[in-house]
Amino acid sequence: MTATHICVCLWLSTIAIILHAVFFTLADQSDNYIIHMDVLAMPKAFSTQHNWYLSTLASVLNNPHLVTANLNSSPSKLIYTYTDVMNGFSAHLTPSQLEALKTSPGYISSFRDLPVKPDTTHSPQFLGLNPKVGAWPASNYGSDIIIGLVDTGVWPESESFRDQGMSEIPSRWKGRCESGTQFNSSLCNKKLIGARSFNKGLLAENRNVTIAVNSTRDMDGHGTHTSTTAAGSHVGGASYFGYAIGSAIGVAPKARVAMYKALWEFGAYASDVIAAIDSAITDGVDVISLSLGFDDVALYEDPIAIATFAAIERGIFVSTSAGNKGPSLATLHNGTPWVITVAAGTLDREFHGTLTLCNNNNGVRLHGLSLYPGNFSASHNFPMVFMGTCDNLKKLIRVRNKFVVCEEKNGTLGDQVDILDRAKVLGGVFISDSPEVTFYFQTRFPSIFINPEKGKIVKDYIMKNSNPKASMAFNMTVLGTKPAPSVDSYSSRGPSQSCPFVLKPDVMAPGTLILAAWPQKVPATGLESKSLFSNFNLLSGTSMSCPHVAGVAALLKEAHRDWSPAAIRSAIITTSDILDNTLGLIKDIGDDYKSASPLALGTGHVNPNRALDPGLVYDAGTEDYVNLLCALNFTQRNISIITRSSSNNCSNPSLDLNYPSFIAFFDGGGVTSSSSSTRDKSKTVVREFKRTVTNVGEGKTTYEASITAVKGFRVYVIPNKLVFKEKKQKLSYKLRIEGPEMIKENVSFGYLVWKDLKYVVRSPIVVTTHVQLARAN
Ligand SMILES: *[C@@H]1O[C@H](CO)[C@@H](O)[C@H](O)[C@H]1NC(C)=O
Ligand SMILES: *[C@@H]1O[C@H](CO)[C@@H](O)[C@H](O)[C@H]1NC(C)=O
Ligand SMILES: *[C@@H]1O[C@H](CO)[C@@H](O)[C@H](O)[C@H]1NC(C)=O
Ligand SMILES: *[C@@H]1O[C@H](CO)[C@@H](O)[C@H](O)[C@H]1NC(C)=O
Ligand SMILES: *[C@@H]1O[C@H](CO)[C@@H](O)[C@H](O)[C@H]1NC(C)=O
Ligand SMILES: *[C@@H]1O[C@H](CO)[C@@H](O)[C@H](O)[C@H]1NC(C)=O
Ligand SMILES: *[C@@H]1O[C@H](CO)[C@@H](O)[C@H](O)[C@H]1NC(C)=O
Ligand SMILES: *[C@@H]1O[C@H](CO)[C@@H](O)[C@H](O)[C@H]1NC(C)=O
Ligand SMILES: *[C@@H]1O[C@H](CO)[C@@H](O)[C@H](O)[C@H]1NC(C)=O
Ligand SMILES: *[C@@H]1O[C@H](CO)[C@@H](O)[C@H](O)[C@H]1NC(C)=O
């Protein structure tokens, strides 16, 4: 817990309350369960599923054999009946009640409710940047699109929710703006059109929690930030205490926002998240943005995978965050074939402080990372001392009235920041080249983070002077830093554990140091003695990259009303950028700035303008996803949990989903999509994929295939020319990969590019060993 020192109070209390809740849950024994039911078994006597579930529960609760030792336990209750996302309900049950329920007619399966956390790495102490969304023309882009977010709520008074100049709310909208504590429904407008909250699951699980602000008002900040990142109105002069000063604007500045609050400062549960998605679908949102996820769950146990299948069936696009558990492989969540999974990268902007060494009035000026928000006298020189690895609090307290210089060893940066904070030093200089500086460089005391090269200059200066002194200055925003974008270290990596046969993540979007709206009354950061407030905050995480892609999807959806979610996803994937601003391949900060593999980056960095006009798309519908589920050898029961249909057609199982990317396992141990694959170390292994592309560009055109080599493997495309006669025409091809079995853990990758005179349609090809490689990491 090296980072808790910079958590503001809100987050510390959050942790305390979650621990509290866990304790009570253990003592209590009963738990929330999500129960899947077969509606075909519903007796005709029941008019609605809700009544059937109530009756089923009542018979379980009234069973005299189920009286437990805990006489005080109140009767267990139905929490939610789900209507659109699944057939079933959630309920708070004792173990024996659950066992009894399992024998009820129509019971399919049940899963214990799961706690969930938003995908912001270390939320409020992170600082971020204004994304390049200002480049978007101030047009009507996205004005007919409704983006639903499941998050911590909204701060409706934020300027980013102003609705000036917006057209009327689309008439098909069926959602609501619920009144509640400190939330009058009149606060909604033509920008913020929906606000609902879900906490029955949380309250059933933690009966002692008192929710003081029982409404969609955001008491955390995360939801205000994500929703305005996707669709915030233009606000001029936004900044974080002077840093990143400029205009703040959402990716789809005229799209509508509907907030479904299911993440509470006291904790959050799957049962509430499912209810939120259920309502979003019923209300009529067009895009759902989910900056949260569940780790290590099978597709048929993953609340998000299950709930979003229903969304996809209705043509709703779903954007999800990959998670913040990088840089190890196979750390990703939401690796679900029917959603888009978003990785996080950096922007070309840095925040600096200046350290000026007082070298006989001939000061050497050194820049380093800093986001210190306070006012600090830049003209004063203070004594400076080098304290090595800064691991002795007593010694540090003795030098607290100086600038203390620390040198990081072996990942101790967080501890060093912590100990200087506790010693209450005048200022800190940290020498470090850790990729995790982003996690720590917002401190409550003046500080500057410099690399070892500059660190040597500082150390030499201190050593050679009897009375070393320096000054510090802050509030410097540097633009055009290189290389950018890069995949950030924390962004979770593929392959997907729940479905390794579909390459994940899909794309990268800005996630590090993103500037977006923040609640007026939630501290944005803190100084030694006080909390600081700001209408904008800088946050990092895949929580921040996910709503960028939701915003892009809103724009595409408005421009192409007839495109399926898979077609929109394909457009975003195949048009993304693989080069950074040095014109080299995008780098991976978590892998020493080597070229990022698609397991970190996806295909590339999202490029909204190109995605509007992709040339070709790889489409897929629910039957394709069912074929995939069948090929995963799921039972009919497992599949019906996801599809809500008791008869799933498994006559055509295939792992070879029509997806705009390729992942092939060459360790022999895995399954492949190829009928002609062989398994023999001395022989060449072959993997084959079939794809169908739809021409959405010019009518008559010819595309030619080119391959960027996959090191160690031969890749063929058959045919390597596609001649389209008209728009909407579909043509198919095969991709064939040949090579030796991989013996060691390894990742090799290249690209297939289809080109005509105008379009470039790119798909990544990853050759790797099977998932065990990832688990071993
Ligand atoms: C609720 O809190 C009261 C008093 O604080 C305590 O006695 C009780 O055990 C708690 N109940 C549960 C279910 O946690
Ligand atoms: C909500 O706002 C409206 C209009 O501003 C006002 O008339 C009404 O009294 C408010 N309701 C509550 C409960 O504050
Ligand atoms: C929260 O408000 C809803 C209605 O807005 C109400 O049904 C529920 O009982 C309230 N919960 C608490 C804990 O006050
Ligand atoms: C920070 O710098 C910006 C740009 O130079 C300036 O406009 C702003 O007033 C400064 N803010 C503070 C708090 O010093
Ligand atoms: C810094 O000084 C400005 C101008 O006096 C003031 O508005 C601001 O609140 C100060 N910032 C902090 C963090 O004290
Ligand atoms: C730091 O790592 C080096 C080598 O990786 C090791 O020799 C050294 O003992 C470590 N130091 C600490 C303080 O853990
Ligand atoms: C499914 O089962 C078949 C037959 O047993 C097997 O060949 C195949 O590898 C399995 N697929 C997966 C994804 O486990
Ligand atoms: C199907 O689901 C059950 C749990 O309901 C699980 O035990 C089983 O392993 C699943 N089947 C497959 C092939 O994953
Ligand atoms: C199942 O799908 C196949 C095509 O993949 C179709 O020929 C067959 O009729 C379908 N069966 C049922 C029962 O729908
Ligand atoms: C990984 O694969 C590449 C290309 O096949 C090969 O050059 C490299 O030696 C391999 N690395 C390991 C550790 O096996």
Side-chain angles (χ1 to χ4, degrees), residues 720-735:
N720 61 8
K721 203 179 258 192
L722 296 175
V723 182
F724 289 95
K725 299 204 172 63
E726 57 194 11
K727 203 167 172 169
K728 294 200 176 166
Q729 188 185 349
K730 291 178 190 284
L731 290 174
S732 298
Y733 69 88
K734 279 184 180 161
L735 182 97

Side-chain angles (χ1 to χ4, degrees), residues 559-777:
H560 306 285
R561 294 311 301 224
D562 57 333
W563 284 11
S564 69
I568 293 172
R569 176 176 58 193
S570 172
I572 293 172
I573 291 176
T574 62
T575 58
S576 59
D577 294 325
I578 61 168
L579 301 182
D580 63 21
N581 61 3
T582 69
L583 301 182
L585 289 173
I586 289 174
K587 315 288 189 296
D588 184 348
I589 295 176
D591 190 18
D592 288 333
Y593 282 92
K594 292 191 195 113
S595 297
S597 98
L599 293 176
L601 172 66
T603 302
H605 190 253
V606 63
N607 183 331
N609 291 324
R610 284 195 56 216
L612 275 171
D613 191 12
L616 302 175
V617 295
Y618 295 74
D619 208 348
T622 47
E623 67 280 15
D624 301 298
Y625 300 126
V626 171
N627 290 341
L628 176 67
L629 297 173
C630 297
L632 289 169
N633 293 338
F634 287 178
T635 61
Q636 275 291 328
R637 268 188 169 201
N638 298 7
I639 298 174
S640 65
I641 288 171
I642 296 167
T643 62
R644 306 174 324 288
S645 162
S646 42
S647 59
N648 295 289
N649 187 345
C650 274
S651 64
N652 196 15
S654 170
L655 291 174
D656 197 11
L657 183 65
N658 195 40
Y659 212 79
S661 58
F662 303 89
I663 181 166
F665 297 100
F666 266 70
D667 58 349
V671 207
T672 73
S673 50
S674 163
S675 51
S676 55
S677 64
T678 51
R679 241 206 105 175
D680 184 339
K681 287 197 168 81
S682 61
K683 263 185 160 177
T684 296
V685 182
V686 178
R687 306 282 189 236
E688 217 169 79
F689 301 84
K690 184 185 173 223
R691 293 290 184 271
T692 300
V693 286
T694 309
N695 179 19
V696 296
E698 315 300 321
K700 232 177 174 177
T701 181
T702 299
Y703 280 85
E704 282 186 46
S706 67
I707 299 281
T708 313
V710 179
K711 202 174 161 209
F713 296 84
R714 291 177 299 282
V715 182
Y716 306 94
V717 184
I718 311 142
N720 61 8
K721 203 179 258 192
L722 296 175
V723 182
F724 289 95
K725 299 204 172 63
E726 57 194 11
K727 203 167 172 169
K728 294 200 176 166
Q729 188 185 349
K730 291 178 190 284
L731 290 174
S732 298
Y733 69 88
K734 279 184 180 161
L735 182 97
R736 192 179 157 90
I737 308 172
E738 295 180 5
E741 213 160 76
M742 278 181 161
I743 298 168
K744 281 203 195 132
E745 303 175 353
N746 209 339
V747 178
S748 198
F749 67 93
Y751 297 91
L752 160 65
V753 177
W754 286 104
K755 264 188 215 162
D756 73 350
L757 291 175
K758 178 172 177 192
Y759 298 104
V760 175
V761 185
R762 183 180 293 106
S763 292
I765 304 164
V766 169
V767 176
T768 185
T769 42
H770 212 252
V771 199
Q772 283 84 349
L773 124 84
R775 290 218 166 104
N777 262 347

